[in-house]
Amino acid sequence: MVEETMEKQYFVITYGCQMNVHESEKIAGILRKRGYVEAKSESDADIIVFNTCCIRENAENHAYGNIGALKKLKKTKPDLLIAVGGCMTQQNGAAEKLRKKFPFVDIVFGTHNLDELGALIDRKTGTKKAIIDIWEKEGEINETDNSFRTSFPNAWVNIMYGCNNFCTYCIVPYVRGRERSRDPEAIIAEVNSLLDQGYKEITLLGQNVNSYGNDKGSAFTFPQLLRKICERKEKFRLRFMTSNPKDFGEELIRAIADNEQICNLVHLPVQSGSDRILRLMNRKYTAEQYLEKVKLLRRYIPDCQLTSDIMVGFPTETEEDFRATLDLVKEAKFATAFTFVYSKRSGTIAAQMEDQISEEVKKERIMRLVELVNTQTREQSSAYRGKTIEILCEDYDEKKGLYMGRDEYGRMGYFQSDKNEVGNFIKLKITETSGVSLVGQKEE
Ligand code: 5AD
Ligand code: SF4
């Protein structure tokens, strides 16, 4: 007879950014507190939670497709709870659309009431009716960390929520509300506790970390927060994302330069190299101002590397605008970049602009951009051959039979070892470079 586990099981499916990945850790924490354990697959689960994203149409389509595919499972398992939360549900009218399309969904919640998921499950118990609860306004910040973390030795810590920037293409301010900074003491306590537990890499998360504290009269700024965290003297890495170039300045650069723990890698999304497009995007900087900041960063920290987010096909983008983007990519020498095709998001200003770019042109431009970015990344990676780098070991790759980790610039390095190295800093002599990843030998 197959032994049945008595414990209820959960399965969380995440779409979107790092912010969402961390929020899924919070969802898992809530479910574990209620006695659920993690299921190996969807079909074992008693509750399936979709943590959705709506930044681009394909993220949404992906979630819709996967939710739809659960109809069958729900039929054979009527007690299965299906909950849908995250950015997608927070859009105007989205909850209703979901209910109509997928009447078998049990719970719909938004970005502002994630902490209430436990209470929503209670409300669902004993009723056949779906529970739909989307808060229009952001609630109080919950300073208690209940996350169930699954990425040792890396840990993510929110320092702020929401966004005030209203870039014209972006849905985020509409679904995540206004900027709210966490208390510095609570952040520092959380980071200290993670370091006490042996975590070796902390990534501070916010839509625009440079405006941390602005909503509290700037009594405690982001560079101050970084310096405070770096008072811990043991070896660890500190990263942060994302920095909006318009607010990226000398004080922050100095904090990075002064503290060894802060990785010399800055993610600075440029979006476009055309001033006309940047203006239409409401980015509040020009290509030249962006490049000036890059120069300043490299003056203080010569070995600093940069990554970026770049978009093609914003409404009205011409071949000339696009070429300006290619020129900027060459000039900024990004280590790598996330490249995106503009996606029309209903409710944003850009969605109403005339001259939306055809799919064909967008496709052609993204291919050229990806080609350039990859070539630059490969060139930079090949310079690693023969060098010794330090990586933080994150995982064992079963397929390759090798341990894997990243250097401070985020480059993946693989190596062989007879013992478990996860969580260790390893010196690797690079023997091979393939694309973006590196293979090396551990130096004793
Ligand atoms: N279409 C395509 N890409 C987008 N991004 C944000 N909104 C959109 C959109 N509507 C990209 C930006 C941002 C990254 C997180 O996603 O480049 O920096
Ligand atoms: Fe993250 Fe934005 Fe997607 Fe929300 S909409 S998950 S904030 S990328």
Side-chain angles (χ1 to χ4, degrees), residues 310-313 317 319 322 325-326 329 339-342 358-376 378:
I310 310 165
M311 198 188 296
V312 302
E317 186 187 66
E319 172 66 20
F322 174 62
T325 299
L326 295 180
V329 170
T339 51
F340 304 106
V341 171
Y342 166 76
S358 74
E359 291 307 313
E360 204 187 335
V361 170
K362 285 188 201 166
K363 216 172 174 182
E364 189 254 347
R365 287 185 188 157
I366 192 80
M367 276 162 58
R368 284 158 70 196
L369 177 64
V370 167
E371 171 71 30
L372 174 64
V373 168
N374 286 350
T375 305
Q376 288 190 185
R378 254 183 265 118

Side-chain angles (χ1 to χ4, degrees), residues 270 272-275 278 285-292 328:
V270 68
S272 169
S274 152
D275 290 344
L278 286 169
Y285 55 84
T286 62
E288 196 185 324
Q289 284 165 337
Y290 181 90
L291 290 168
E292 277 304 313
L328 186 138

Side-chain angles (χ1 to χ4, degrees), residues 55-56 169-170 269 271 309-311 340-343 345:
I55 200 149
R56 281 170 292 273
Y169 50 80
C170 191
Q271 312 300 355
D309 291 347
I310 310 165
M311 198 188 296
F340 304 106
V341 171
Y342 166 76
S343 168
R345 303 287 66 207

